[in-house]
Amino acid sequence: MSHEPIVEILDLHKTYHMGGVDVHALRGVNLRIEPGEFVALLGPSGSGKSTLFHVIGGLTPPTRGVVRVAGRDLSKLTDRGRTELRKTTVGFVFQKFNLLPTLTALENITIARDIAENKEPISQQFRNVLEILGIDRRLEHRPYALSGGEQQRVAIARAIVNNPPILLADEPTGNLDTKNSELVLETLRELNQALGQTILMITHNPEAAEACSRRHIEIRDGLIIRDD
Ligand code: ADP
């Protein structure tokens, strides 16, 4: 096993410029994440959690500092390089499932393969993932015929269909009732344990963090104030 971290961040700053005003969303973040970790990111609204995800996921470039994701230096990537990173290296799951209502569950998943121009046949391993997610019998259903928890598990399948080394989940249970939240957290835990999928999860809920991961990172005002 390699000793390279999957994410390495040194003195990361991110400043947004809005209507002549600078918003310092991240103000010197240092972070190292090893392959196979499950990390919960906590912190109040506006503390910079999503911004950190957007930088790690290549949605927005860092203003200053070093960000290496799967061996790539993000400050050196062009827009095109970041697009490539999003296709191959990170999968995103959001609070809103963002499924296309006219497509079946399976079509919602495979569209991510088409976008990434992934022509490999769907692997047996991925079929096992669908089983872990508990949606292998729901693939022909459209989103309206699925529960919220099932929709989120379809969204998770879509996020990892191209086999990215990192899964970024931004409040994945924020729209779910307790029972469906537990099911989704359980599947994330299983993906992490069974497949060694590296997962970073933003959550407001300390219980969700506790249920999934041993490493809890707390962000406040653009800085990491706790990491244990
Ligand atoms: P969190 O995810 O913890 O709620 P965010 O990363 O969304 O925090 O926001 C951190 C700060 O950056 C907030 O002050 C927010 O208003 C600001 N911010 C986030 N995104 C943008 C943007 N695209 N343009 C300008 N300001 C932004």
Side-chain angles (χ1 to χ4, degrees), residues 16 18 23 25 44-51:
Y16 297 106
M18 261 220 337
V23 180
S45 180
S47 55
K49 304 181 296 298
S50 301
T51 299

Side-chain angles (χ1 to χ4, degrees):
M1 193 143 139
S2 139
H3 290 284
E4 283 271 297
I6 190 94
V7 175
E8 189 174 29
I9 295 176
L10 300 168
D11 197 29
L12 167 64
H13 292 251
K14 177 69 191 183
T15 305
Y16 297 106
H17 306 286
M18 261 220 337
V21 180
D22 285 351
V23 180
H24 300 288
L26 298 173
R27 301 185 297 127
V29 167
N30 293 290
L31 181 60
R32 182 186 164 108
I33 294 170
E34 307 298 333
E37 280 196 86
F38 194 147
V39 177
L41 209 57
L42 298 124
S45 180
S47 55
K49 304 181 296 298
S50 301
T51 299
L52 182 59
F53 264 34
H54 291 170
V55 172
I56 293 173
L59 292 170
T60 185
T63 304
R64 182 149 67 81
V66 176
V67 180
R68 278 194 213 96
V69 175
R72 277 188 268 195
D73 182 346
L74 263 54
S75 57
K76 297 212 170 80
L77 289 184
T78 57
D79 283 353
R80 225 176 121 177
R82 277 200 307 280
T83 303
E84 200 53 35
L85 181 95
R86 291 198 297 274
K87 284 184 188 168
T88 58
T89 311
V90 290
F92 277 99
V93 175
F94 303 96
Q95 182 171 348
K96 294 189 180 137
F97 323 125
N98 297 329
L99 300 178
L100 296 168
T102 57
L103 302 185
T104 64
L106 183 63
E107 288 165 345
N108 265 289
I109 295 166
T110 53
I111 197 171
R113 289 167 48 87
D114 300 340
I115 290 168
E117 295 168 59
N118 179 350
K119 303 236 170 16
E120 301 277 310
I122 289 192
S123 64
Q124 185 54 45
Q125 172 165 336
F126 191 69
R127 289 182 200 286
N128 296 342
V129 167
L130 295 175
E131 234 173 272
I132 289 176
L133 291 170
I135 52 170
D136 49 316
R137 291 161 197 280
R138 315 292 278 160
L139 295 173
E140 299 309 322
H141 291 64
R142 287 179 215 286
Y144 69 82
L146 300 171
S147 72
E150 286 172 336
Q151 290 186 52
Q152 188 60 299
R153 284 176 279 144
V154 170
I156 293 169
R158 176 183 57 190
I160 58 176
V161 67
N162 296 316
N163 211 10
I166 305 170
L167 177 65
L168 300 175
D170 191 344
E171 294 271 359
T173 60
N175 265 337
L176 298 174
D177 60 33
T178 310
K179 182 162 165 284
N180 276 302
S181 294
E182 278 169 9
L183 278 170
V184 163
L185 294 174
E186 169 72 39
T187 37
L188 288 175
R189 212 163 43 222
E190 213 169 324
L191 289 177
N192 173 251
Q193 281 173 5
L195 306 178
Q197 175 77 57
T198 307
I199 302 179
L200 274 69
M201 178 177 75
I202 292 178
T203 180
H204 270 111
N205 182 350
E207 277 171 30
E210 206 54 57
C212 284
S213 93
R214 277 179 300 156
R215 185 168 177 196
H216 300 173
I217 293 176
E218 191 174 338
I219 298 202
R220 202 161 282 233
D221 297 330
L223 282 171
I224 291 178
I225 58 161
R226 183 168 72 101
D227 185 349
D228 55 32

